[in-house]
Amino acid sequence: MFLLQEVERQFPTPALICVVLLFMQALNCVSNLKTSSLSFKGISFSSIRLNPATRRLSITCAAKPETVSKVCDIVKKQLALSVETEVCGESKFVALGADSLDTVEIVMGLEEEFGISVEEDSAQSITTVQDAADLIEELISKKA
């Protein structure tokens, strides 16, 4: 029951609750999937994490759209991507052509833009634009 109340708090409309519950059911079927983001009508809602060992679900707020947009711009600039190249929250750095040095430069650009300091352990866990944006939001909220 607690899980349903948490879903209702995070996703206030009935249609979204149905989408989230179906998404959670799909996560339960895939044992090696640990984290996923849910996007509905082009809007990213939350990061959904499933701990396969306990089958417990944790819903956390995703980064603000403007944070994701800034991260996309920084990634495009650091990787010298063309204007036509589409970069979104789900974009993986490797798929965009980034190597380990490029990823370090992206993290440095993010630190400079947002006035944060990213620990090496955290930096190594960043693989997508959404990962970076979520980490930025977390670090900014800890600073405040």
Side-chain angles (χ1 to χ4, degrees):
M1 186 64 180
F2 171 75
L3 182 60
L4 184 58
Q5 289 172 342
E6 181 64 18
V7 170
E8 288 173 341
R9 188 177 65 76
Q10 292 285 333
F11 302 96
T13 64
L16 287 178
I17 291 171
C18 290
V19 170
V20 170
L21 291 175
L22 287 172
F23 191 72
M24 289 168 26
Q25 199 170 26
L27 279 176
N28 273 325
C29 295
V30 183
S31 62
N32 65 346
L33 188 61
K34 294 179 185 170
T35 304
S36 187
S37 293
L38 178 64
S39 187
F40 184 73
K41 292 188 177 182
I43 302 169
S44 181
F45 288 98
S46 292
S47 294
I48 299 177
R49 298 179 189 276
L50 179 68
N51 183 341
T54 62
R55 294 289 195 220
R56 293 192 58 120
L57 184 74
S58 171
I59 300 174
T60 57
C61 292
K64 297 174 192 167
E66 54 269 16
T67 303
V68 175
S69 178
K70 279 185 182 180
V71 173
C72 289
D73 292 342
I74 291 168
V75 169
K76 277 185 161 185
K77 179 182 172 190
Q78 292 294 335
L79 298 178
L81 299 174
S82 68
V83 177
E84 295 84 33
T85 304
E86 188 174 322
V87 178
C88 64
E90 291 79 28
S91 298
K92 294 185 178 198
F93 295 155
V94 173
L96 296 171
D99 59 19
S100 58
L101 180 59
D102 291 325
T103 303
V104 169
E105 290 176 350
I106 289 169
V107 171
M108 289 171 56
L110 296 172
E111 288 176 327
E112 185 178 321
E113 175 69 26
F114 291 96
I116 57 171
S117 179
V118 178
E119 297 292 325
E120 187 177 338
D121 292 346
S122 297
Q124 291 176 352
S125 70
I126 299 171
T127 59
T128 67
V129 169
Q130 188 68 50
D131 291 342
D134 290 343
L135 179 62
I136 290 165
E137 295 274 326
E138 181 182 326
L139 293 172
I140 289 173
S141 70
K142 284 182 181 177
K143 251 176 89 169

